[in-house]
Structure formats: structure tokens, C-alpha cells
Amino acid sequence: MQTKQTESGTQAIQRALSILNCFVRETDSLSLAKISKLVGIPYSTASRIVGILEQESFLIRDKHTKRYSLGRRIYVLGYCAKQSDFLRKVIYSYLQKLRDEFEETAVIYIREDNYRVCLEKVSAFHSFKFSPAIGSRYVLWAGAGGRGFLAYASPQEQDSFINDSRNLTTFTNTDKKSIMKELYNLCKNGYAYCVNEYQEGFSSISGPIIDGDNNLLCTIAVTGPTSRFTPSIINGLKTRIPEYCLEISSTFGWNAETNQTNCLFPSPSLDYIMQCLN
């Protein structure tokens, strides 16, 4: 019974994807009958699947012609894919320079729902190193790579994430006021520094990449064994990462000259962050 249900679910997914694939460049809209014929499924089955796709905004139905076309969700996904690819192209050379200068792994993180995800990495040459898998997910409330996302989250999200925080190691920071101070320092100085917070024995320094509308696109981070994070490495990263973040952000439209605050990267939640420090 379970096998039949699994096969039925897989078949439904395949049919839904086949329906979306009907909308090629030359085809702007299709009737339900035409979709049924192209995919080779009963009209009733096509109606049910198309209804779900419409409900989730993957398809949209014209009230007058009753024909279907691609919905806004498809365009959002396409935009995200294009943006992510451009992020890689722009930032990859900076990751290489960070790895070569500091001899540790450099990473790009993007946000997906309530997590940060490793989008790209340039691994250190050491045998003992931080080496995340592309696509691996991490919480936002712990580790330097998550601090930028936390700083640019709404006040409601910040409270929710911090309330959900827990000790991953003995060094994990779960105190709200202390975390808010770190977020303020990130906005002010352009970097976050965490020691042994996400994984015992590893430290990280990260910075935010911002676009022209003051939206956070991603964070870049350098992570390695705490034993190799010497004072010279730490001070070098605290200088280099904000420098690179400013350069990269300018590529995406961020103009530091329009910044009227004393912070390098003032997040939209800066007032709330400062309020929590009092």
C-alpha cells in the first residue's frame, strides 16, 4: 500500500512538471483541454493538478478566456536562479582571493526560509579544514555566516530566531542583548566574528553583501580551525572582508556615499537593534 502511494505521489509530481513544460517560449497560454491532450492524461486529472498549480501561483487562469499561463511563482523562481548564478560569477574570484590570502575555506551563504545555505565555496588546501557541502543548511541564529541574515531580518523574525536558539556548543551565544550587540557591530563595522559557536574547534568571520535597495543578498565568510585563527589572521580578515563586501555590494548597486549613518551597512532593523541595547 505504501509503495502504491509513493508511486502515485511521484507520478503526480511528474505530471505537474510535464504540465509546466507545456508552456514553451512559443506558447503563452493553453486551455485545460489542450493541456490534457499534450500531457496525455484524463481531463479530470489535468483539472485537479492544474488547480493545485494555480493555487500555488505556478499557473494563472484568465477569467475571460479560461486559458492558463505561467504564474508569478515561476518568475520568482527564475529570478532567484538567475540572481544566484550572478552572485557566483561576481563573488567567486573574491572567495579565491580570501582563500589564497588567509589559507582557509571561503564560503557564500544565501538565505532559504529560516536557514542559510552554502551556495558556493573555495576550500582550503589543508587536510584539516572546514569543507561544507554545496547546498548544506545552517541555522541563522548561530555562527558568523548567519549574523548578517539575522541583522537584516525584521524585528519580529529576530525575536523569533533568538527565542528558538539553543546551545550547539558551550560557546553558542543565546543571550538576546549580547546577540543584538553583535548585530550592531556587524552593521557598524561590516563583519561578524564567532569563535567555536556553531562547531567546536572552528571559528569564522563573515560580512554582508547588500544591493542598491539595502536588501541583503548573501554573506561571505572565511571559516577554519580556531587554532589557526591567529591574531594576524583575525585582524587581516576584519579588514579584508568589509573591504570586499563594499566592493561586491557596489556591483549590485549599493552606494556608500548615500549612507547617512555611522554604520558601514545599516540594516532596516538597525533602530530596533539599538533599542534592544538600552
Side-chain angles (χ1 to χ4, degrees):
M1 182 67 178
Q2 186 176 2
T3 301
K4 289 183 178 180
Q5 290 177 341
T6 302
E7 289 174 351
S8 177
T10 302
Q11 186 180 50
I13 293 172
Q14 290 174 333
R15 286 173 170 175
L17 293 175
S18 295
I19 289 173
L20 293 176
N21 284 329
C22 289
F23 295 86
V24 294
R25 185 171 299 177
E26 297 82 7
T27 305
D28 293 327
S29 64
L30 292 168
S31 67
L32 187 57
K34 184 65 172 179
I35 292 172
S36 172
K37 183 178 179 180
L38 288 172
V39 180
I41 57 178
Y43 185 91
S44 59
T45 302
S47 177
R48 176 175 56 82
I49 297 175
V50 164
I52 295 173
L53 291 172
E54 181 185 9
Q55 180 180 337
E56 297 298 325
S57 299
F58 286 97
L59 292 178
I60 188 170
R61 181 173 179 260
D62 188 289
K63 293 181 179 179
H64 302 290
T65 66
K66 312 300 183 184
R67 294 170 70 87
Y68 292 89
S69 56
L70 293 176
R72 62 177 178 81
R73 188 62 181 167
I74 292 292
Y75 295 103
V76 169
L77 291 174
Y79 171 79
C80 291
K82 182 178 180 181
Q83 186 183 62
S84 295
D85 185 57
F86 189 47
L87 281 173
R88 282 191 181 96
K89 291 179 180 178
V90 171
I91 301 175
Y92 191 78
S93 63
Y94 288 91
L95 297 186
Q96 289 179 311
K97 289 191 285 187
L98 285 168
R99 188 273 313 275
D100 293 345
E101 181 175 359
F102 299 102
E103 300 184 346
E104 299 296 347
T105 299
V107 182
I108 306 172
Y109 293 109
I110 59 172
R111 179 174 174 178
E112 287 187 3
D113 298 323
N114 295 335
Y115 297 90
R116 56 183 164 105
V117 176
C118 176
L119 177 68
E120 186 59 274
K121 67 175 180 180
V122 175
S123 295
F125 295 121
H126 303 286
S127 57
F128 180 53
K129 61 192 173 186
F130 176 67
S131 186
I134 302 299
S136 55
R137 302 196 309 174
Y138 304 88
V139 297
L140 298 181
W141 43 263
R147 288 292 190 263
F149 298 107
L150 198 56
Y152 274 75
S154 67
Q156 295 77 16
E157 285 185 312
Q158 289 173 345
D159 286 344
S160 177
F161 288 134
I162 294 172
N163 288 338
D164 289 341
S165 65
R166 64 185 188 279
N167 288 327
L168 300 177
T169 74
T170 56
F171 297 92
T172 304
N173 187 0
T174 59
D175 177 70
K176 180 177 179 178
K177 189 169 185 178
S178 178
I179 291 175
M180 287 302 189
K181 184 175 181 180
E182 292 182 11
L183 300 187
Y184 174 76
N185 288 334
L186 180 141
C187 292
K188 182 176 177 61
N189 302 314
Y191 68 84
Y193 174 38
C194 292
V195 180
N196 302 326
E197 182 173 87
Y198 206 105
Q199 183 177 351
E200 196 83 39
F202 285 88
S203 295
S204 183
I205 297 180
S206 76
I209 305 299
I210 312 301
D211 69 11
D213 296 320
N214 201 32
N215 298 312
L216 180 69
L217 298 178
C218 64
T219 62
I220 59 173
V222 172
T223 303
T226 301
S227 59
R228 291 205 297 259
F229 266 52
T230 62
S232 62
I233 293 294
I234 294 168
N235 291 333
L237 284 168
K238 287 180 178 180
T239 298
R240 193 71 69 234
I241 283 184
E243 174 187 315
Y244 285 169
C245 285
L246 284 172
E247 287 185 22
I248 298 168
S249 296
S250 67
T251 302
F252 293 97
W254 169 252
N255 186 354
E257 294 181 1
T258 63
N259 182 9
Q260 301 298 314
T261 72
N262 65 342
C263 291
L264 203 61
F265 292 112
S267 84
S269 299
L270 182 59
D271 288 343
Y272 179 70
I273 292 171
M274 295 178 66
Q275 175 186 326
C276 292
L277 298 181
N278 297 327

